[in-house]
C-alpha cells in the first residue's frame, strides 16, 4: 500500500506560482509512475502531469497542452516526494489537485493510489 499526502495548495493571483508536494509513505516511489490530476467544480477530473521511468533515459514527463510550458513535475526519491511546480497560473487552473501513483504500461498510465487532494485557487 502507498499513502499519498498532498500539500502546498492555496490562493494565488493570476500570473503567480505555486509548488505542490506529494509525500508518500508505505513504499518507495522510485519505481512508480506518478501523476497529478485536477478537478474543478462541475468538471471531470483532468490529467495535468505524469512522470515515468524510461530505461536508459531516466524519468520522462508528460503534460497536456493546457499546462505544457507552465507546469513541471519532478521527484525527489530521497524524500519520497513528487512535486508539481506551477507557474504563470491562470484562473482556469483553479481546482482541487490530486497526486497519484501507479504504473505505465501499454502506452498509458494506470494509477492505483490517490491522495486526498489540495485546493488551488487562482484569482484574477
Amino acid at each position: 500500500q502507498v499513502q499519498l499526502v498532498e500539500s502546498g495548495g492555496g490562493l494565488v493571483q493570476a500570473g503567480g506560482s505555486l509548488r505542490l508536494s506529494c509525500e508518500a509513505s508505505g513504499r518507495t516511489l522510485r519505481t512508480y509512475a506518478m501523476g497529478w490530476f485536477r478537478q474543478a467544480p462541475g468538471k471531470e477530473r483532468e490529467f495535468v502531469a505524469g512522470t515515468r521511468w524510461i530505461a536508459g533515459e531516466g524519468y520522462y514527463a508528460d503534460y497536456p497542452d493546457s499546462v505544457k510550458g507552465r507546469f513541471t513535475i519532478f521527484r525527489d526519491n530521497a524524500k519520497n516526494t513528487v512535486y508539481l511546480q506551477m507557474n504563470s497560473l491562470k484562473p482556469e487552473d483553479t481546482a482541487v489537485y490530486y497526486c497519484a501513483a501507479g504504473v505505465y504500461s501499454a502506452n498509458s498510465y494506470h494509477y492505483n493510489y490517490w491522495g486526498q487532494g489540495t485546493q488551488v485557487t487562482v484569482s484574477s
Side-chain angles (χ1 to χ4, degrees):
Q1 287 287 337
V2 176
Q3 293 78 42
L4 303 173
V5 178
E6 302 96 333
S7 61
L11 174 64
V12 64
Q13 287 189 333
S17 298
L18 279 176
R19 177 177 292 183
L20 305 183
S21 300
C22 172
E23 185 173 1
S25 60
R27 289 187 180 178
T28 178
L29 292 183
R30 186 181 304 273
T31 60
Y32 283 89
M34 300 298 298
W36 286 93
F37 289 77
R38 66 186 180 189
Q39 188 165 21
K43 294 187 177 181
E44 293 187 355
R45 187 175 58 193
E46 176 189 16
F47 170 80
V48 296
T51 177
R52 53 191 165 96
W53 176 261
I54 297 180
E57 295 185 22
Y59 289 108
Y60 184 84
D62 298 283
Y63 306 95
D65 289 343
S66 58
V67 306
K68 194 173 294 183
R70 299 189 299 122
F71 290 11
T72 303
I73 184 172
F74 61 100
R75 62 174 78 198
D76 185 337
N77 288 333
K79 295 182 178 180
N80 221 30
T81 300
V82 175
Y83 303 91
L84 183 68
Q85 177 67 41
M86 304 185 295
N87 298 328
S88 302
L89 283 162
K90 305 174 182 180
E92 52 263 43
D93 294 319
T94 295
V96 177
Y97 283 71
Y98 299 90
C99 173
V103 300
Y104 187 87
S105 65
N107 295 320
S108 64
Y109 289 96
H110 305 273
Y111 294 106
N112 307 104
Y113 305 101
W114 295 84
Q116 83 290 347
T118 185
Q119 176 71 46
V120 172
T121 303
V122 184
S123 63
S124 57

